[in-house]
Structure formats: C-alpha cells, structure tokens
Amino acid sequence: MRTGGDIAAVTDVTFDVRPGECLALIGESGCGKSVLASALLGLLPANARTVGQALLAGPEGGLGDGLDLLAADERTLARTVRGRRIGLVPQSPAAHLTPVRTVRSQLHETLRELTGVRKAGAGKPGSRKTGLREAGEAAAARAAFPADHLDRHPHELSGGLAQRAATALALVGDAPLLLADEPTTGLDRDLVDRTADELRLHADSGHALLMITHDLAAAERIADRVAVMYAGRIVEIADATTFFGTRGPRHPYARGLLDALPERAFTPIPGMPPELGDLPPGCAFAARCPKATDACGAVPSPADGVACHHPEEDPTCSN
C-alpha cells in the first residue's frame, strides 16, 4: 500500500526458516528480496519504517527469548545479533569489506569479536595467534578463497574473490542463521556449485539458511523449500523437490521463471514487473499473466502456499 510519499517495498510476507533447512527466496530484481534481508538485520535507511514481527529463535531453538528483530534497537542488533546469531553474505561485498585491511586481518578481527578467541587465549599469545590463523584459514577454505590471497586488500581482489571473502567472513562466526544475499554473484559454475555446497553443509550442521538468489540452478541444488517473491509479496512457497520437479510450481509467475531457463522452454515472461511505487490494483502479476480474469482485480489471499486466483490445479500440467 502507498500512503503519500511512502512506498511499501515488502508487504504481507510470512514465512519461517528452520534449523537444518535452506529456504531459497527467488524473484526478479527489484521485487523486495534484499530489502527483506536488510530489514531483518536493521540495515534499512533511517527513513524506512517496518511493521509486523520477525522472531529469532532462542538458544533451545524455540521463540521463547522473544527477540523481535524489527523491534530491536541498534545496540541489541550490533552487540548480540549481527554476526553472532545472524551471519550475512552481502549482495555487494566490496561495500562491506574494510578497504585498508587485508582479508586475513578482517577474518581475525571478526573471530576475536564474535567467538571470544581473544579471551580464550589470554596469557598465551602464541596459542591465540595460532588459533586465529587456523580458524581464519579454515573459513577461507570453506568459501574457496585462496590462501595465497589472504594478505591482499579488497581493492586487489576481483569481484568473484571479493564475494568469496565476504562468504568467509559470514561463515567464520558459525551463526545459527545465515542470510546469503546473492552469494554466487561473479563466480563461475564450478565455484557456484562449491559455494552452494558449502552453504548446504552449514545448514546440514543444524543452522538455518535463507538464500536470496537469481540462480535457480543453485537453489535447486541445495534448497529444501522455495519462496517466490513478486512485487514485494511472496506469491508461492513450495517444497523444492516439487517446485523443480515434474509437478512444478502452481503460481503462473513461478512457472514463468522456470520456463525462462535455457534448459527448459527458454521462454521469457512477457512485459516488465511493476514499480513498487506504482503497483496496479489487485494482483500485481495480472498484466503479464496468461490466466488473468476479472477476479484478478482483487489481491489474492494465500491459500495452500500460493497466492493466486487461478493456481495450477493439475500437478502434472505445465504451461
């Protein structure tokens, strides 16, 4: 909804991410995926406003600690959430790396702040230094970051190497929830698969993973469930096996995303997504949808994981 000069970048979004699970959030550029991740970490611009709840699981895996990320103050987010309970692989890694420090020193500083290595090694400088070095190199290896580049500064890295450095920094704290915002950008296919597999291992160790991605092959490779976002709303949430399998998704937009892949029909979705500041009434996808009818003049309510007036009913049928 737009009120005066306000733009609703994300609207009526409801989902959960469970320990040991990877939820892939997919959709075209500008649909609100990265805004959602920024909201969870309190990284929105100062003039942004949020409503609703984003509950972070407590130490025992439940919601008993009552921490609402959208209501938490900056001190709480900075000291107890970012890096410690939620790790972030940023969409623009170069903007998140400290330009005057090497990758190694940034890994060591992150370890000191997040894992208490400084305290654990008090009085044993040699042991502390060795522990930092080994832990930093292990995180770099997990992110496929070459050890002989650890002493380089961010400006000496290619875009793909900067992406891997940011991934290493996100993994080093072993946070219970990892938000990976386009973690495979700038990587070749082999490194995409290796990075995706490492993120999957992070989830398999009992952590929760929210992966925001345009790369449907990476999502298919590691996701347990898929959430599809369009024009600021989640229009479908489905089991990944069903979504990418012969049954396919039920929302026409989600089917269009798959049909646009080169290995499938290679048929683009007609038209362009609407601007979030100028959404049409009713279903925002109606103007591009082959199934649109007069009923689409109203915003569809989610039912059985899909928000559509005309969802695909026959699971074996494809557009």
Side-chain angles (χ1 to χ4, degrees), residues 10 19 130 133 138 153 173 200 204 207 215 243 260 276 287 293:
V10 178
T130 300
R133 182 178 67 250
H153 293 81
R200 179 69 248 184
D204 288 341
H207 301 78
D215 191 332
F243 188 91
L276 292 177
T293 66

Side-chain angles (χ1 to χ4, degrees), residues 206-258:
H207 301 78
L209 170 63
L210 175 61
M211 182 172 71
I212 297 170
T213 185
H214 288 97
D215 191 332
L216 298 187
E220 182 177 9
R221 187 178 182 92
I222 70 168
D224 298 294
R225 290 186 297 147
V226 178
V228 183
M229 181 171 275
Y230 185 78
R233 295 177 182 269
I234 288 182
V235 297
E236 182 168 4
I237 298 181
D239 177 83
T241 302
T242 300
F243 188 91
F244 291 108
T246 55
R247 292 185 177 185
R250 298 180 61 207
H251 195 283
Y253 172 66
R255 285 186 170 259
L257 288 177
L258 292 187

Side-chain angles (χ1 to χ4, degrees), residues 31-160:
C31 70
K33 304 186 302 297
S34 294
V35 172
L36 175 60
S38 295
L40 296 177
L41 285 169
L43 298 176
L44 292 173
N47 63 343
R49 293 184 293 110
T50 58
V51 295
Q53 287 186 314
L55 299 178
L56 186 62
E60 303 302 320
L63 300 176
D65 70 345
L67 179 60
D68 180 0
L69 295 172
L70 301 186
D73 57 40
E74 173 59 24
R75 180 184 177 90
T76 299
L77 292 170
R79 295 199 172 192
T80 68
V81 174
R82 297 186 196 123
R84 294 171 173 81
R85 298 177 68 180
I86 302 179
L88 173 67
V89 180
Q91 184 179 31
S92 302
H96 286 73
L97 297 173
T98 304
V100 297
R101 302 185 63 182
T102 66
V103 175
R104 187 190 303 276
S105 67
Q106 292 183 61
L107 283 167
H108 289 183
E109 181 63 23
T110 301
L111 280 164
R112 281 192 289 264
E113 293 298 322
L114 301 183
T115 66
V117 171
R118 177 189 297 155
K119 182 177 180 180
K124 301 178 182 179
S127 173
R128 180 170 71 248
K129 184 176 181 180
T130 300
L132 287 171
R133 182 178 67 250
E134 292 177 350
E137 290 178 355
R142 290 175 66 190
F145 188 89
D148 59 358
H149 285 52
L150 281 168
D151 293 313
R152 296 189 178 186
H153 293 81
H155 73 273
E156 299 176 290
L157 306 177
S158 66

